[in-house]
Amino acid sequence: MDRFRTAAWAALPLLLPLLAAGPAAASDSVSPPTASLTYGSVRSVRPGDMLTVDAKQGEALYGDTMRSSVFLATGKLRMRDPLLTTTVTIACEAEPGTYPVLRRGAGDVGPEEHPFRWARVRVEGVDEAARGACRDKVKKLPRPDPEERWAPDTTWPQSEWDVRTFRAGHRITITDNDDEGADGDISLTSRAFTDRPVLRGAKAVLTATTTLKCDAAPGLYVVYRHDVGQSGPDKPWARLRLLGAGRGKACSTEQAAAHSFGSSRLGVAAWAVGGALLAVAAGALFLRARSRRGNSA
């Protein structure tokens, strides 16, 4: 035992450098997380770095754009509840220095609408080899994910990319907050719908209901809108993600509607008629049995 213990202590100095190098090697192979740029902050960056712009409620509005002379492209704020976010990349040709990040409102179109200085970035100097590596990196960057995540207590859809998840066979409600006075003028279609719902409402909010197909494959589905008098193809208007109907559960339009909304008027009427027929049948059987008892007496 002592002999093994002595050998272990003797080998320990040789193992320590390897143990120390292990985590470092692992960390080098993992891409660093995207840095976050917040309101009023100053972030140090290098050409090719990606920044996630995060705005809290009151610091920006949905659809505002974030731009800077050192950004590869302008970023548009999307909803990622509870924040508004966008991702921007520092251009490979950006020179060292401190640059403002400007927020411009979605409705600011005139020259008198001055963008708001929202934050700053401090670009560090790099050599030509790093700039060359930056250009290769930028070519392989994936496209920004357009999907948005809105608060679960808000109506759907809040935007074209407000992707909510539903289960096949369920009946859902669709809400339109942007077409006041268009009662009955807008119909919607989707490969996930069993019918062609029409948006209706006498006030600012229009609604429609539809049932999702039981046999629709799980995945992302586009909802198209068609306006009265519209020419040309229908326009993408919303998106939804569909889950399967669930194993071991029968899925049909009638069952899904009953599950989501309870008994409809037609269902109530059917139950009432069925109850009346049962009552009549029971009465007839009772009278028949009573008659037989009388005859046997």
Side-chain angles (χ1 to χ4, degrees), residues 34-105:
T34 303
S36 176
L37 183 68
T38 56
Y39 175 64
S41 65
V42 181
R43 174 68 63 180
S44 293
V45 294
R46 292 164 56 89
D49 282 355
M50 298 179 68
L51 287 174
T52 296
V53 183
D54 292 328
K56 298 178 182 178
Q57 184 177 3
E59 296 176 348
L61 298 175
Y62 175 78
D64 287 356
T65 56
M66 296 290 180
R67 61 187 66 195
S68 175
S69 60
V70 294
F71 287 175
L72 193 63
T74 298
K76 183 178 180 179
L77 289 175
R78 295 184 176 275
M79 178 60 74
R80 299 282 197 280
D81 181 61
L83 299 173
L84 293 170
T85 71
T86 187
T87 301
V88 294
T89 303
I90 305 300
C92 298
E93 309 306 325
E95 296 294 334
T98 301
Y99 300 85
V101 175
L102 307 177
R103 176 184 65 82
R104 191 178 183 91

Side-chain angles (χ1 to χ4, degrees), residues 3-262:
R3 200 176 289 176
F4 286 115
R5 187 178 301 169
T6 302
W9 279 106
L12 185 58
L14 300 175
L15 293 175
L16 286 176
L18 297 175
L19 293 173
S27 62
D28 291 342
S29 64
V30 178
S31 299
T34 303
S36 176
L37 183 68
T38 56
Y39 175 64
S41 65
V42 181
R43 174 68 63 180
S44 293
V45 294
R46 292 164 56 89
D49 282 355
M50 298 179 68
L51 287 174
T52 296
V53 183
D54 292 328
K56 298 178 182 178
Q57 184 177 3
E59 296 176 348
L61 298 175
Y62 175 78
D64 287 356
T65 56
M66 296 290 180
R67 61 187 66 195
S68 175
S69 60
V70 294
F71 287 175
L72 193 63
T74 298
K76 183 178 180 179
L77 289 175
R78 295 184 176 275
M79 178 60 74
R80 299 282 197 280
D81 181 61
L83 299 173
L84 293 170
T85 71
T86 187
T87 301
V88 294
T89 303
I90 305 300
C92 298
E93 309 306 325
E95 296 294 334
T98 301
Y99 300 85
V101 175
L102 307 177
R103 176 184 65 82
R104 191 178 183 91
D108 298 345
V109 293
E112 70 281 359
E113 303 283 357
H114 297 291
F116 179 76
R117 295 197 174 205
W118 198 81
R120 290 181 295 168
V121 291
R122 184 181 295 114
V123 180
E124 300 176 1
V126 296
D127 56 23
E128 286 305 314
R131 292 188 189 277
C134 172
R135 297 184 190 99
D136 293 337
K137 172 185 174 182
V138 166
K139 291 178 182 178
K140 301 174 184 178
L141 289 178
R143 291 185 178 182
D145 183 5
E147 287 193 22
E148 298 176 353
R149 182 180 67 248
W150 290 75
D153 59 347
T154 57
T155 57
W156 175 79
Q158 293 290 319
S159 71
E160 179 184 349
W161 280 100
D162 174 14
V163 179
R164 309 282 177 104
T165 300
F166 303 99
R167 189 167 290 282
H170 279 199
R171 193 162 180 81
I172 62 173
T173 298
I174 307 166
T175 304
D176 180 8
N177 300 297
D178 300 319
D179 293 289
E180 183 176 1
D183 178 28
D185 293 339
I186 304 171
S187 59
L188 306 172
T189 59
S190 175
R191 293 189 298 108
F193 293 171
T194 57
D195 59 357
R196 187 184 181 109
V198 177
L199 290 167
R200 296 192 175 278
K203 299 182 179 180
V205 178
L206 308 178
T207 61
T209 58
T210 188
T211 302
L212 302 174
K213 292 179 180 178
C214 294
D215 57 354
L220 189 67
Y221 288 82
V222 181
V223 177
Y224 297 90
R225 66 176 282 166
H226 181 86
D227 296 69
V228 172
Q230 172 185 327
S231 59
D234 294 344
K235 298 173 290 184
W237 185 72
R239 287 164 176 82
L240 63 94
R241 178 166 283 105
L242 205 59
L243 298 179
R247 296 179 179 178
K249 293 183 179 180
C251 177
S252 66
T253 301
E254 294 80 11
Q255 291 171 343
H259 175 75
S260 300
F261 290 95

